[in-house]
């Protein structure tokens, strides 16, 4: 079983969501990456956020874990992280991600309530939507929308 961190990054008022090229159209999720040998969870969060979007994590907070059987059995370790104040410019690593963006609280709350994310809009675009309820990424995003997280662990 491989340990994977999945991290919802926030700047205090917005959260950062990203998508990989193989995601279904319109779906965005939290950042995720495998732990390297000898690396702590905190080190993995810091490295993955820096590698994927070029941001520096200031604090993190553990949320939960979930076994994920795809593709080869992983233990997903979910965290919330905040970035350093004033350092919110995304530097997207196109080898890792197709897109990443900051989303406001109201945008994310609407996406959580969306019933049928696969419905194509009249202009041909797909609405922004989030992972399904059984995924730990959904839980992280829902926590961020429903309650403020108290960040206690400096990284």
């Amino acid at each position: 079983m491989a340990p994977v961190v999945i991290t919802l990054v926030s700047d205090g008022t917005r959260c950062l969501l990203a998508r990989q090229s193989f995601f279904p159209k319109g779906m965005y999720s939290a950042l995720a990456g495998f732990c390297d040998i000898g690396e702590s969870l905190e080190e993995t969060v810091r490295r993955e956020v820096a590698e994927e979007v070029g941001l520096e994590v200031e604090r993190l907070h553990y949320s939960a874990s979930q076994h994920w059987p795809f593709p080869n059995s992983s233990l997903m370790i979910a965290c919330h992280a905040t970035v350093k104040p004033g350092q919110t410019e995304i530097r997207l690593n196109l080898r890792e991600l197709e897109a990443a963006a900051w989303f406001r609280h109201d945008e994310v709350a609407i996406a959580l309530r969306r019933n049928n994310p696969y419905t194509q809009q009249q202009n041909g675009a797909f609405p922004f939507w989030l992972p399904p309820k059984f995924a730990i990424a959904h839980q992280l995003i829902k926590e961020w929308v429903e309650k403020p997280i108290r960040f206690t662990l400096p990284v």
Side-chain angles (χ1 to χ4, degrees):
M1 184 179 301
V4 174
V5 293
I6 183 159
T7 306
L8 187 65
V9 177
S10 173
D11 69 356
T13 60
R14 304 172 297 172
C15 73
L16 187 139
L17 298 170
R19 56 176 283 105
Q20 294 182 316
S21 60
F22 62 84
F23 282 8
K25 291 181 190 278
M27 189 182 96
Y28 279 75
S29 187
L31 300 176
F34 289 95
C35 295
D36 286 342
I37 293 173
E39 193 174 48
S40 71
L41 295 175
E42 295 84 1
E43 290 166 336
T44 303
V45 168
R46 188 175 348 146
R47 177 183 52 77
E48 285 294 329
V49 171
E51 282 179 6
E52 293 183 0
V53 292
L55 296 172
E56 190 175 345
V57 170
E58 181 179 47
R59 297 191 178 278
L60 70 94
H61 170 83
Y62 169 80
S63 172
S65 64
Q66 175 186 37
H67 176 257
W68 192 253
F70 313 104
N72 297 316
S73 190
S74 297
L75 176 63
M76 304 294 289
I77 303 153
C79 298
H80 290 274
T82 54
V83 294
K84 295 199 174 217
Q87 295 184 1
T88 58
E89 182 182 339
I90 298 168
R91 292 185 309 272
L92 187 65
N93 180 344
L94 292 172
R95 291 184 310 273
E96 299 268 345
L97 300 172
E98 180 179 82
W102 291 105
F103 291 88
R104 296 183 323 266
H105 184 273
D106 62 314
E107 294 174 302
V108 178
I110 289 168
L112 279 171
R113 292 191 300 269
R114 193 166 280 127
N115 288 329
N116 187 1
Y118 303 104
T119 305
Q120 195 169 8
Q121 296 173 338
Q122 287 183 347
N123 65 2
F126 285 84
F128 152 62
W129 61 283
L130 301 166
K133 291 180 181 180
F134 63 82
I136 200 161
H138 184 95
Q139 178 182 326
L140 273 172
I141 295 163
K142 187 176 177 190
E143 284 175 353
W144 181 80
V145 166
E146 291 181 350
K147 61 184 174 193
I149 303 297
R150 298 211 187 317
F151 296 93
T152 56
L153 299 175
V155 177

